[in-house]
Amino acid sequence: MNTQHDGNGDRPGVSRRTLLARTGAAVAGVAAGPVLGGIQPALAASWRVPGEEASHKRTWMAWPSSYTIWGNLLSRIQADIARLAKEIAKYEPVTMCADGSAAASQARSACGSTVTVIGSVPVSDCWMRDTGPLFRVDGAGGLDAFGLNFNAWGENATSFYGIPAAAYDKDRALAQKLAAYAGVPFAKAAVVGEGGGVEYDGDGTLMATESCWVNDNRNPGRTRSQIEAELLSRFGASKMIWLPGVTGQDVTDGHIDGTARYIGPGVVMVQLAGAVRPDVWSENAQAIHDVLVNSTDARGRRLQVLTIEGPDVLPRIPHGKQREFLSSYMNWTVTNQAVVTVQFGDTAKDAAAKSVIAAAFGRPVVQLNLDNLYGNGGGGAHCVTMQEPDR
């Protein structure tokens, strides 16, 4: 979504990930109340969302084409989306949704022949992780999907940046329409949130920040227990690890996928902030780490917690924009044959992150320069991708 701007006629804005001094950092409060009505109940727990390291049929992405959302930054974001899509397509099929025939033609030209582009599933923006469906398998060849009722990050897109709420109307309906295109049954969850707000190991355990979910801008009048029960049922899991987060500092209210990720069942990785990250994020990363090292998963295993450090310098980024930059190696996307993440120009930290991630996954790691997406976009490779698992 729209974020940091440079002074060359771009619409004023702030970073998707950092909104300093708008409100103090705070853990989201817990409120009591009923669950939403009129929404299909969760399906049987035999269905589960596999871990992202499991085999994929393809990766879904979305082509940004809205000048209302991006202004003069649009071409730069498109270039990073195309670069990422072409890289992922080396390791597994990529299907890119574009908003109509003109946008589809533009995406095909930018992405090349290795990326399949469709113009029949309308999209508003590029954040497929948050807007697309989550696919589930049943272990017997079945595949279905559910949606998390995307509401533009608690309508923060409007309150933070002044983007009209209607600019995201197509993304609000994307999960259901994409599932229909893929030919799989679909249901709406009874909670509101985003895919980037929850991590899953495919083996019974979820982790998420309270600030994203127990928040009146998404789930007013609902207790943490109610939200937890619905997420566990939808994901086919039995244990939630709630982590501290921050509110009011970025449009996502502290998505977990920039700080802590599953490598596989029983193993997580946390990025401890480098010198360029503001204190609120450094402190939150340490707090998340401290909870995880004392946690067990649904199988009773004490978690193995691996760590990497964020960059200390961002040599390509103007000094005044560095505090708003998503300097997260963690926002990687896992493919069938490699892990795709970023490099920031900090030679030592880039190399160290690549080595640790490669060793953890046992797969090659590719690091791309995606400065516009991570800086002007405030999101990363994980934020703009959604895997469809093999059945």
Side-chain angles (χ1 to χ4, degrees):
M1 62 168 302
N2 185 47
T3 55
Q4 180 182 329
H5 297 265
D6 62 23
N8 295 324
D10 297 335
R11 177 164 46 80
V14 289
S15 169
R16 180 174 185 266
R17 290 280 170 177
T18 307
L19 188 70
L20 299 174
R22 181 176 290 272
T23 65
V27 176
V30 178
V35 299
L36 290 174
I39 296 179
Q40 299 179 44
L43 299 178
S46 60
W47 291 85
R48 66 181 180 88
V49 178
E52 293 180 31
E53 78 286 355
S55 180
H56 300 172
K57 178 180 179 180
R58 60 182 156 187
T59 286
W60 289 93
M61 297 183 68
W63 183 253
S65 58
S66 172
Y67 190 84
T68 299
I69 293 173
W70 285 107
N72 292 339
L73 291 168
L74 181 59
S75 63
R76 296 181 234 175
I77 298 300
Q78 289 173 336
D80 276 7
I81 292 294
R83 183 177 299 114
L84 177 62
K86 288 187 285 188
E87 186 63 36
I88 296 171
K90 296 177 182 178
Y91 313 110
E92 64 185 60
V94 174
T95 301
M96 180 82 69
C97 300
D99 192 23
S101 59
S105 178
Q106 182 186 43
R108 290 188 190 102
S109 178
C111 296
S113 61
T114 62
V115 175
T116 299
V117 178
I118 60 173
S120 56
V121 179
V123 295
S124 302
D125 207 348
C126 59
W127 309 111
M128 182 61 79
R129 181 66 48 180
D130 293 347
T131 61
L134 287 126
F135 294 94
R136 308 190 307 179
V137 297
D138 67 355
L143 182 73
D144 76 356
F146 66 94
L148 290 169
N149 306 296
F150 177 73
N151 72 341
W153 307 280
E155 307 301 343
N156 282 339
T158 298
S159 59
F160 280 14
Y161 315 128
I163 299 173
Y168 285 97
D169 282 352
K170 293 171 183 175
D171 281 355
R172 297 172 200 271
L174 174 60
Q176 185 168 357
K177 290 186 176 181
L178 193 156
Y181 179 91
V184 300
F186 176 82
K188 294 181 180 180
V191 291
V192 174
E194 305 87 39
V198 59
E199 278 283 309
Y200 40 94
D201 70 350
D203 196 36
T205 311
L206 308 181
M207 61 180 180
T209 57
E210 291 192 46
S211 53
C212 289
W213 294 95
V214 194
N215 190 322
D216 284 348
N217 66 10
R218 292 168 173 87
N219 294 296
R222 320 183 92 191
T223 67
R224 191 179 82 168
S225 295
Q226 289 170 331
I227 296 166
E228 175 180 314
E230 175 65 2
L231 289 173
L232 291 175
S233 183
R234 291 291 172 185
F235 279 84
S238 59
K239 181 170 183 176
M240 171 70 83
I241 301 173
W242 286 108
L243 299 168
V246 294
T247 55
Q249 296 291 307
D250 77 322
V251 76
T252 73
D253 292 307
H255 272 182
I256 188 60
D257 66 350
T259 304
R261 304 286 307 278
Y262 278 109
I263 302 298
V267 184
V268 298
M269 185 177 290
V270 179
Q271 178 173 309
L272 301 177
V276 296
R277 293 297 279 158
D279 288 346
V280 62
W281 296 109
S282 299
E283 292 166 2
N284 184 244
Q286 186 63 56
I288 286 173
H289 172 272
D290 292 348
V291 172
L292 290 174
V293 295
N294 291 298
S295 296
T296 56
D297 67 10
R299 306 290 184 181
R301 296 170 292 214
R302 182 168 293 278
L303 293 178
Q304 179 184 0
V305 182
L306 309 175
T307 61
I308 59 174
E309 293 185 357
D312 291 325
V313 295
L314 298 171
R316 300 188 297 259
I317 307 303
H319 182 74
K321 296 182 178 182
Q322 292 187 5
R323 289 174 63 83
E324 298 180 349
F325 190 93
L326 176 62
S327 53
S328 171
Y329 299 109
M330 304 298 298
N331 203 269
W332 59 60
T333 187
V334 182
T335 75
N336 286 335
Q337 300 175 35
V339 179
V340 182
T341 186
V342 285
Q343 51 87 1
F344 299 116
D346 182 333
T347 304
K349 289 296 185 69
D350 289 349
K354 181 176 183 178
S355 177
V356 172
I357 296 168
F361 277 104
R363 303 182 194 189
V365 171
V366 178
Q367 291 182 304
L368 302 178
N369 178 340
L370 299 173
D371 283 355
N372 282 301
L373 185 63
Y374 279 69
N376 293 318
H382 192 246
C383 299
V384 298
T385 56
M386 178 61 80
Q387 73 284 347
E388 179 181 339
D390 281 329
R391 301 185 185 215

